[in-house]
Amino acid sequence: MAEFSSILEFMERLPIQKALTDQRLVFRSHIKRFWENATYDEEHKTINSIMSLNEENKPINITEQLVREVVNFPDDENSPTMFPGRMVKGCMLRMGYNGLLNRANYLKACFPKSYKLLIHSGLHALSHRKGGYDVMRDYQMSMVTALVLNKKYNFSKIVFHYLVDNITSKSKTWMYPQFVQMLLDHAYPDLERDEQNDLLILYHMDNESLNQLARYHPNHPEPKKKA
């Protein structure tokens, strides 16, 4: 843990604490019902679904602004989702990246240990994919740049975009279960919760995660510290 102490102190000051640290209980039946019934209203830019409360179907309506309010994202509708390539590359170099800069995706393995933790935490919380946390896509590189340089970034727009994208996907998944549960809890605090039989197990960071992040593959050795 000692080798991550400085970055952990930095991460405690990040303005997306709720997204990174919220560990509320998530329920399979809630997430399943939400995604099975989710539709998108293009005209009103709203995701619509239903929840069961006291054996009655209740509507759940989600907008980008609601995502912003419930997850406490520090952005607004005019915040950017992409930064100029030069700014992103400069930030990656500042973080000690030792991989190829002229490529579409950056590898987490090519960063120093401390920044590997920051990147892994951000991707784990905010990525629209179930896995693939070893590679950063373009919007994720801008996301990390915003966190490191303390820039405004539209986290809400990104999350809402991929929620909508999942609705129209041929291979719909239970995307963003933590955020969906936050939104459901916000709309209906009295939803039935069966902690014995209905929990959706989500994996959070632990000491083993830190041990894995501290390791490097022979093909991607640990970046050398600058003198």
Side-chain angles (χ1 to χ4, degrees):
M1 284 288 290
E3 56 195 332
F4 293 109
S5 58
S6 61
I7 196 66
L8 286 171
E9 291 176 5
F10 173 76
M11 290 172 65
E12 287 176 356
R13 300 193 298 271
L14 294 177
I16 57 169
Q17 286 300 305
K18 189 171 183 179
L20 291 177
T21 64
D22 189 287
Q23 294 188 14
R24 74 186 57 223
L25 298 179
V26 177
F27 297 89
R28 296 181 63 86
S29 62
H30 296 179
I31 306 304
K32 179 180 180 182
R33 182 175 287 110
F34 172 82
W35 281 116
E36 283 183 345
N37 296 281
T39 59
Y40 180 59
D41 183 342
E42 176 67 39
E43 180 181 357
H44 297 98
K45 309 297 182 187
T46 304
I47 296 171
N48 303 310
S49 189
I50 59 172
M51 282 289 105
S52 178
L53 182 62
N54 299 325
E55 299 184 356
E56 293 184 16
N57 287 336
K58 299 290 186 179
I60 176 77
N61 310 112
I62 297 173
T63 62
E64 179 184 315
Q65 180 58 29
L66 185 64
V67 171
R68 183 171 290 117
E69 294 172 2
V70 171
V71 191
N72 291 345
F73 283 130
D75 54 41
D76 56 59
E77 61 181 5
N78 296 316
S79 299
T81 56
M82 293 288 287
F83 293 123
R86 186 174 180 179
M87 178 190 293
V88 173
K89 290 180 181 179
C91 183
M92 300 299 112
L93 287 173
R94 175 177 172 178
M95 293 165 65
Y97 186 72
N98 71 347
L100 297 176
L101 290 173
N102 296 317
R103 59 183 300 167
N105 301 315
Y106 284 23
L107 301 177
K108 184 178 68 180
C110 294
F111 287 90
K113 292 186 182 75
S114 56
Y115 284 118
K116 283 173 69 177
L117 175 59
L118 171 65
I119 293 165
H120 181 83
S121 300
L123 295 186
H124 195 272
L126 297 164
S127 176
H128 66 284
R129 297 177 291 178
K130 285 186 176 181
Y133 302 135
D134 294 326
V135 177
M136 285 194 294
R137 298 178 60 174
D138 51 2
Y139 82 88
Q140 294 164 335
M141 291 187 287
S142 286
M143 186 185 298
V144 171
T145 298
L147 295 175
V148 172
L149 300 182
N150 193 27
K151 299 285 187 181
K152 276 277 193 179
Y153 184 83
N154 205 332
F155 298 96
S156 309
K157 188 179 187 68
I158 289 293
V159 170
F160 187 75
H161 167 80
Y162 283 109
L163 287 171
V164 172
D165 192 59
N166 192 47
I167 291 173
T168 58
S169 172
K170 293 181 180 179
S171 56
K172 186 186 295 185
T173 64
W174 291 3
M175 187 182 291
Y176 291 130
Q178 195 84 4
F179 296 159
V180 170
Q181 189 72 54
M182 288 183 194
L183 293 160
L184 300 180
D185 290 347
H186 174 80
Y188 298 108
D190 297 325
L191 282 174
E192 180 181 352
R193 293 169 172 81
D194 183 353
E195 295 185 20
Q196 298 299 318
N197 305 299
D198 195 32
L199 282 182
L200 178 61
I201 304 301
L202 301 179
Y203 295 95
H204 302 286
M205 294 285 291
D206 55 20
N207 285 336
E208 179 56 30
S209 302
L210 294 177
N211 288 334
Q212 291 179 2
L213 288 170
R215 301 186 192 113
Y216 285 86
H217 190 276
N219 292 337
H220 299 290
E222 182 175 3
K224 296 180 179 179
K225 294 182 179 180
K226 296 180 179 179

